[in-house]
Structures are given as C-alpha cells and as structure tokens.
Amino acid sequence: MRYTEAEVVNIIAQEVDASASAWNSGIEGQREAAFKSYYLQSPARPDNNRSGYVSGDTFDTVETIKSRIRRTFAQSRRVIRFDNDAATDYVYSLFYDENKGSKLINDALHDALLSKLAVFKRYWKSEIVKEYEIFEGPTEQLHVLLMSDEIEVSEIQEQRAETVQVEIPGGVGEMQQEIVRAELVRSVDKSRLAVEVIPPEAFYMDGTATEVDDIRFIAEKYERSRSDLIKDGYDPEIVMSAGYDESEDRSGTEIARASVDQSW
C-alpha cells in the first residue's frame, strides 16, 4: 500500500501526539518538579517575613550519585574490552576523545536522575570542511594538484613569467617559466561516527512498547533555521513560506531546563 505525502505527514503527527501524551501524562510533572528542586527554585520563597530557606537536598543527592557512577565509567578504567586491544583503544578514543565521552556520560546521568530517562543518539555525521591555502609555483605543478577532485582554485592572485636556469647538453641555459600565485580550497572529508545525548523531553517513543525490540516509532524534536533546511535540500519556496507552528509549545520540562540549564 502506497501512502500520499499528506497521509505520511498525518501518520507521523498522530504518532508524535500519541508518544508525547504517553510520556507527559506519566512523568512530565515529576520532571518539572525535579528540575525546579535541583536548581533551588522550589518551593517558592514566601513573600512575608517567614524564612526563605530552600533545601538543597535534591542537588546534593544527584551530584553525589553522578560522581560515584562517573568513576565507574572513567576513561582509564576500560570497563568495556574487546578481544583485540587495538579495537578497544579505537572505540575508547572514538567515544571519549572525538565525542567528549566524559561530558556525554555526565549529561546522561543528569537526565537519568532528573528526567528518569537518558537518550544517546548515534549517527554518521557527514561533514566536508573547506581548508584554504596559498600556492605559488610553476603552472604545471598547479595543474597536477588540480587533478585531484578535492582541490579547486578559489582565486588567481598573480601570474608572471620568470627566467630560470636549466641544464642543457653542454652546459646551462635559460628559459621562461610561468609562475602563478593562487588561493586553493581543499575539501577535506571529516565525516565520522557521532554520539550525542539529547534532552529526554525532545525524544518521542511508541508509548505502548515494553521492550526495545517492540518500539515501532521514535523521533527527535529540534529546531532548524530556514537556511539549514535549505542547505539540507528542502525546497526553498516551501521553507520560506512555512511559518512557526504555535501549537508546538514547549513542555514544562523544557521551560524549567531552559530557565537555568544552558547545556542544550
């Protein structure tokens, strides 16, 4: 059975609504309360002359547990090992060095303790980086460089003829050689496996699933600028005509987190 584009959009919207309702009805209020208690925003300070003391027990408890578990997953402990030592070193370098694994673990523990859920996202991040360099030399050498698909000329800054000495039968002679100075741009592929921790309130999952293998729908909510969407290949006309959906208001957890926690 083939679905139209409108039908696909409608199905996704229904799944998102169902997933959000399943989570929000259960723990949304608890998450919001936990954030406010952790950041000493709850209970509200009284307006009268009574004491304005706010207990920091939630903060102390969360930070103590985080500290203990972080030691378990310290990079030097190698809690996960492969039969091949080189593979172990590679995976640890990929997670801890390239993806700042210590921070990921800290953020995940923070979410698990306050939001009752930690979500790791693993994906292949395609990234082409433009690197600029100056070339100055014979035109022939430039032509050789340009045979690579990764290099192209950004700007010709100067061209001139120089007299150079060359060996010829019976001695040394002179010849004219064309010299060029140019700015080159090299496209360097820095694509890699990326790991991120995403806010639990931005994660949608089939609310009826009881096992990982049973999940039939997952989604992540995040904001993208119009320029980013166009860069990703979406129709510019549609992107520029689209407005902000006022119905997509932030949850209480999002508001509580954003008011004090700028890590996301």
Side-chain angles (χ1 to χ4, degrees), residues 35-45 54 255-256 259-260:
F35 267 96
K36 290 182 177 180
S37 178
Y38 175 87
Y39 290 106
L40 307 183
Q41 293 183 336
S42 177
R45 297 180 183 275
V54 177
I255 296 173
S259 66
V260 290

Side-chain angles (χ1 to χ4, degrees), residues 7 15 31 53 115 160 174 213 240 253:
E7 289 173 331
E15 291 286 356
R31 286 175 169 176
Y53 171 77
S115 299
R160 66 182 186 274
E174 295 182 345
D213 293 337
M240 297 308 296
T253 305

Side-chain angles (χ1 to χ4, degrees), residues 66-120:
K66 283 166 60 177
S67 177
R68 291 175 178 174
I69 299 179
R70 275 201 309 265
R71 289 197 294 268
T72 301
F73 292 97
Q75 185 174 4
S76 59
R77 298 197 63 175
R78 291 291 199 271
V79 293
I80 299 176
R81 294 180 181 272
F82 297 90
D83 293 336
N84 187 323
D85 289 340
T88 302
D89 293 340
Y90 171 74
V91 170
Y92 268 79
S93 176
L94 183 67
F95 181 75
Y96 283 97
D97 297 332
E98 295 188 24
N99 287 284
K100 300 180 180 179
S102 296
K103 182 179 185 304
L104 292 179
I105 290 174
N106 183 75
D107 290 345
L109 291 173
H110 191 80
D111 285 341
L113 293 170
L114 291 181
S115 299
K116 301 186 177 183
L117 178 67
V119 183
F120 282 90

Side-chain angles (χ1 to χ4, degrees), residues 146-165:
L146 294 179
M147 293 176 65
S148 170
D149 294 334
E150 300 176 351
I151 301 176
E152 59 185 32
V153 175
S154 174
E155 179 187 7
I156 299 293
Q157 299 179 341
E158 181 185 3
Q159 287 180 298
R160 66 182 186 274
E162 289 186 356
T163 300
V164 296
Q165 293 184 337

Side-chain angles (χ1 to χ4, degrees), residues 226-227 229-230 234-243:
R226 284 190 171 95
S227 59
L229 292 173
I230 293 174
Y234 291 93
D235 188 332
E237 185 176 346
I238 295 177
V239 171
M240 297 308 296
S241 63

Side-chain angles (χ1 to χ4, degrees), residues 182-196:
E183 181 182 62
L184 305 181
V185 56
R186 185 189 302 270
S187 299
V188 181
D189 187 354
K190 293 193 175 182
S191 301
R192 61 181 178 85
L193 182 67
V195 182
E196 297 176 358

